[in-house]
Amino acid sequence: MELKHQLPAEHTRRKTGKLFFLKKELLRNKYVYLMLIPVVAYYLIFSYGPMYGLVMAFQKSYSPIKGIWAGEWIGLDNFKMFFDSYYFWRIIKNTLILSFYSILFGFPAPIILALLLHEVRKKWFRSTVQTVSYMPHFISVVVVVGMLKTFSALDGGLFNVVRSFFDMQPVMFLAEKDMFRPLYILSNIWQGAGWASIIFLAALSGIDPQLYEASKIDGAGRWKQLLHVTLPGIMPTVVVMLILRLGAVMNSDFQKILLMQTAPTYETSDVISTFVYRSGILEGNYTYSTAIGLINGVINFSLLLMANSISKKVNSTSLW
Amino acid sequence: MKRSAGEYLFDGFNVLLLCCIMAISIYPLLYVFNSSISDPDALMRSRSLMLLPEGFQLEAYKVVFQNPKIYTGYLNTLFYVIVGTLVNLLMTSLAAYGLSRMDLYGRKTLMKLITFTMFFGGGMIPTFLLVQNLGLVDTRWAIIIPGAISTFYFLIMKTSFESIPESLIESAKLDGANDFLILFRIVLPLSKSILAVMTLYYAVDHWNDFVGPMLYLRSQDLYPIQIIMRDILISSSTESMGAGADTGFAIGENIKYATIIISTLPIMLVYPFIQKYFVQGALIGAVKQ
């Protein structure tokens, strides 16, 4: 009997305790909470709002007038339609191949540049190379693609002038499906390698100079030092950057690809994001393209989780 | 310490390689610049690498400067850069200050919810429909509000705010200052260099923004310079080039090159002087990762 009476009393006491605490906390930090109102509102509307909008992926169509819950529920039909479509393998393949080549050629480029810069003794030369090689980073993607376009003009474009030196026929580079990947990756390296080297340079400057001294005493030359001191020294940074990159393997530079691609190159250039754009925004298949976006987002998220747990085991470096 | 022959070879090869890298970095811009001031006919016939301009004219620049689309595009971009960056800085500072208060109830939950948005989101279509439903499409706000906080920059700023000694804030509180005063009078003035970095990063993002305007803007008079440049450079729209019948077709290529120079030159000239802030930003970002 007594126990029965006691329980609710205890419960209410705890509740008022918590309420009392909350009230006190709200009052004490009232200005901080006031500051966070627009922040929370922003994230709720512009980050979680679209996530809520993902329910469209399970509907037949979207009506701007009736709202998000009025659509006819069709379960996983949108996903099935995508898996069965001719484009499914093409855009998955293109996204992965482009990422694979970008990592293969693009990822080592800034590391090599940083290593070269690290070996320079003259400070002025080093900072000159840095300033110059960072420069392309500040050119907008639109201009870079614009440059690619003018350079690949059939008549007197730079690329075709160079081809003519080797007695090769002029080629419409941006309309050749086999040229899309090399152009995309090389221009990315041209634009981004310098800037990306900053992170590795910082890691290099963090290596303990005593290690170099010690290896010198042991008779190691510059090459040996590079292999046994420098490279191990930046490995943790390299691994973290690689994990980040692998986590984004299903992501592609939507902006640049969209600007670069032409209908004749869709076979190699069409990736998930450009497909979603065309099918969603241009053709109005909102629910279908939302479903494709959702698949992409889920894969990306799980890839990142996987990459992170691998790195935890291998290197004891984690992103969080 | 004396250098051996091997060392000299190592260094010489290294310098040579880096010189090649510099040449590759600069050459495309040099080519564009030389082409822009070359004579249109010479440019059409030219099959050279354009290490020097062929002939000389500034007609193309005149056409570009007189093109009303480029003019309004520049003004619009200026608006997006200035207002957008101000909104970014305000919102990011509020978020960074609020969530750097260690004693705040619910801080951890909020942080988790915010960090999650870096790794997962609704994607292009739901975001587009949301912006449309909010009635922002084809207004300047569509460019400014949906990206008001970059979570990545917010994390950088928060880390920086956390390094400010707590005792400073405590003593200001004892003196009766509220959190707004503390943020604007103590924390922000102490964070000038991180503010400079954030300003630069946000401003460059706005300057380069192309996808936002492409998705959300319909009226030509709201277009930023990047959209105008897409029309000129990639879609080769002669109407956007401002090249009417009087300027002739031949100068079209020169106009493209001149447009590239005009849109790129300002940042190229300013950048070497503010490079250290950019580098600082890239480094803080890396440490954060």
Side-chain angles (χ1 to χ4, degrees):
Chain A
M1 255 326 251
E2 257 185 30
L3 213 75
K4 259 185 193 166
H5 278 289
Q6 233 172 353
L7 265 176
E10 175 88 330
H11 190 67
T12 42
R13 197 165 59 84
R14 252 194 232 148
K15 221 173 163 185
T16 50
K18 195 158 186 194
L19 250 160
F20 179 69
F21 165 76
L22 266 179
K23 228 172 164 179
K24 218 177 81 179
E25 163 71 14
L26 265 175
L27 212 63
R28 192 172 61 95
N29 271 327
K30 60 174 182 274
Y31 291 110
V32 181
Y33 287 112
L34 210 60
M35 279 178 185
L36 288 177
I37 288 174
V39 175
V40 170
Y42 168 78
Y43 276 104
L44 273 181
I45 297 171
F46 290 103
S47 292
Y48 286 90
M51 281 187 226
Y52 171 76
L54 283 171
V55 297
M56 273 190 315
F58 306 95
Q59 293 176 335
K60 191 166 184 184
S61 63
Y62 167 81
S63 147
I65 301 149
K66 287 181 196 150
I68 211 156
W69 290 105
E72 184 193 333
W73 297 92
I74 52 168
L76 296 174
D77 283 6
N78 280 328
F79 298 90
K80 271 187 212 132
M81 197 159 90
F82 177 55
F83 291 136
D84 292 339
S85 92
Y86 162 73
Y87 298 105
F88 171 69
W89 283 113
R90 186 169 92 175
I91 64 177
I92 297 280
K93 197 181 85 191
N94 282 339
T95 309
L96 283 174
I97 290 180
L98 206 59
S99 268
F100 174 73
Y101 282 129
S102 292
I103 294 173
L104 189 67
F105 297 106
F107 188 74
I111 303 176
I112 293 168
L113 179 61
L115 290 173
L116 293 176
L117 279 167
H118 186 61
E119 296 295 335
V120 173
R121 285 148 186 252
K122 298 251 185 321
K123 226 179 164 183
W124 64 266
F125 181 69
R126 189 178 155 155
S127 58
T128 313
V129 179
Q130 281 175 284
T131 304
V132 171
S133 65
Y134 296 168
M135 219 137 79
H137 173 78
F138 293 96
I139 301 174
S140 72
V141 179
V142 175
V143 170
V144 170
V145 178
M147 274 158 74
L148 283 178
K149 168 115 192 205
T150 43
F151 288 172
S152 55
L154 267 185
D155 203 29
L158 176 61
F159 295 156
N160 280 318
V161 170
V162 173
R163 273 180 80 92
S164 71
F165 292 160
F166 299 98
D167 280 327
M168 289 193 278
Q169 289 299 311
V171 164
M172 292 264 282
F173 279 85
L174 286 179
E176 287 286 327
K177 64 179 169 49
D178 296 331
M179 290 294 175
F180 175 78
R181 285 174 192 145
L183 274 183
Y184 174 83
I185 287 158
L186 287 174
S187 59
N188 268 355
I189 293 176
W190 175 76
Q191 195 182 14
W195 189 251
S197 73
I198 294 176
I199 287 156
F200 299 107
L201 272 174
L204 284 168
S205 66
I207 296 173
D208 188 353
Q210 282 181 347
L211 289 175
Y212 287 104
E213 293 302 323
S215 70
K216 239 183 238 170
I217 293 165
D218 290 345
R222 296 277 284 281
W223 182 248
K224 280 264 167 71
Q225 284 183 3
L226 179 73
L227 286 182
H228 299 293
V229 180
T230 313
L231 280 181
I234 59 165
M235 246 335 157
T237 311
V238 172
V239 170
V240 170
M241 297 309 285
L242 190 62
I243 290 166
L244 278 178
R245 187 63 192 80
L246 286 174
V249 73
M250 288 288 280
N251 266 340
S252 39
D253 188 344
F254 167 65
Q255 175 165 270
K256 185 165 177 184
I257 297 172
L258 187 73
L259 287 166
M260 266 183 81
Q261 73 177 181
T262 54
T265 65
Y266 280 167
E267 205 179 314
T268 53
S269 70
D270 207 17
V271 294
I272 300 171
S273 52
T274 51
F275 185 78
V276 168
Y277 171 73
R278 263 208 323 282
S279 134
I281 306 280
L282 297 185
E283 288 161 21
N285 302 321
Y286 292 133
T287 57
Y288 178 56
S289 44
T290 300
I292 303 172
L294 177 59
I295 297 172
N296 195 21
V298 169
I299 295 177
N300 269 332
F301 188 58
S302 12
L303 276 174
L304 195 75
L305 289 182
M306 246 161 59
N308 191 53
S309 69
I310 292 169
S311 118
K312 251 185 203 162
K313 278 195 190 113
V314 177
N315 213 38
S316 63
T317 0
S318 162
L319 295 179
W320 51 79
Chain B
M1 202 184 254
K2 260 187 103 179
R3 284 195 273 173
S4 65
E7 296 249 308
Y8 272 112
L9 200 71
F10 186 99
D11 283 334
F13 185 67
N14 191 14
V15 168
L16 191 77
L17 219 61
L18 286 171
C19 285
C20 289
I21 290 172
M22 278 203 285
I24 294 170
S25 300
I26 289 184
Y27 175 67
L29 291 173
L30 183 77
Y31 179 93
V32 168
F33 179 73
N34 286 341
S35 302
S36 75
I37 56 171
S38 289
D39 183 69
D41 294 326
L43 185 69
M44 286 288 268
R45 272 181 281 111
S46 163
R47 294 293 177 271
S48 79
L49 294 178
M50 279 287 168
L51 292 171
L52 287 170
E54 302 196 358
F56 182 76
Q57 55 72 39
L58 288 174
E59 201 59 32
Y61 282 92
K62 228 163 134 187
V63 176
V64 175
F65 276 121
Q66 282 170 352
N67 184 346
K69 282 193 177 163
I70 290 201
Y71 183 71
T72 48
Y74 249 110
L75 281 185
N76 283 331
T77 293
L78 222 58
F79 177 84
Y80 298 133
V81 168
I82 294 171
V83 178
T85 307
L86 282 176
V87 170
N88 290 144
L89 289 177
L90 179 71
M91 289 289 283
T92 313
S93 310
L94 290 178
Y97 177 80
L99 290 161
S100 67
R101 304 287 83 233
M102 291 298 169
D103 60 348
L104 191 77
Y105 179 79
R107 192 185 75 99
K108 279 204 175 130
T109 317
L110 271 180
M111 277 309 294
K112 269 185 199 144
L113 287 173
I114 290 177
T115 318
F116 178 67
T117 64
M118 269 177 95
F119 305 112
F120 188 77
M124 188 192 306
I125 307 300
T127 311
F128 171 79
L129 292 176
L130 174 83
V131 173
Q132 198 175 45
N133 287 338
L134 290 173
L136 294 176
V137 165
D138 210 21
T139 70
R140 292 180 193 276
W141 300 114
I143 308 303
I144 289 165
I145 297 176
I149 303 178
S150 146
T151 304
F152 185 58
Y153 297 164
F154 149 72
L155 288 175
I156 293 173
M157 208 160 182
K158 181 179 144 287
T159 314
S160 153
F161 283 3
E162 278 165 3
S163 68
I164 291 171
E166 192 58 36
S167 55
L168 219 63
I169 292 163
E170 282 306 315
S171 63
K173 267 192 185 151
L174 286 179
D175 289 342
N178 68 40
D179 288 288
F180 282 98
L181 264 165
I182 294 173
L183 171 61
F184 288 104
R185 290 283 164 77
I186 298 172
V187 173
L188 286 178
L190 280 174
S191 314
K192 276 193 193 114
S193 79
I194 193 81
L195 270 180
V197 171
M198 294 288 104
T199 309
L200 284 178
Y201 272 69
Y202 273 127
V204 169
D205 286 355
H206 281 293
W207 172 271
N208 286 338
D209 187 18
F210 164 76
V211 170
M214 178 189 73
L215 287 175
Y216 302 133
L217 297 181
R218 303 278 175 273
S219 323
Q220 295 232 0
D221 52 329
L222 295 178
Y223 281 173
I225 192 79
Q226 300 296 344
I227 298 276
I228 308 288
M229 286 204 294
R230 194 252 335 241
D231 292 345
I232 294 176
L233 296 175
I234 299 170
S235 316
S236 293
S237 139
T238 39
E239 186 221 353
S240 291
M241 278 187 214
D246 51 326
T247 46
F249 170 75
I251 205 165
E253 287 302 303
N254 296 70
I255 291 175
K256 284 187 190 174
Y257 290 119
T259 311
I260 294 177
I261 293 296
I262 283 174
S263 68
T264 322
L265 206 60
I267 182 92
M268 290 293 131
L269 292 180
V270 179
Y271 143 75
F273 300 100
I274 47 176
Q275 185 188 346
K276 70 166 187 183
Y277 289 111
F278 277 114
V279 173
Q280 208 181 336
L283 287 180
I284 304 166
V287 173
K288 191 66 227 169
Q289 284 169 352

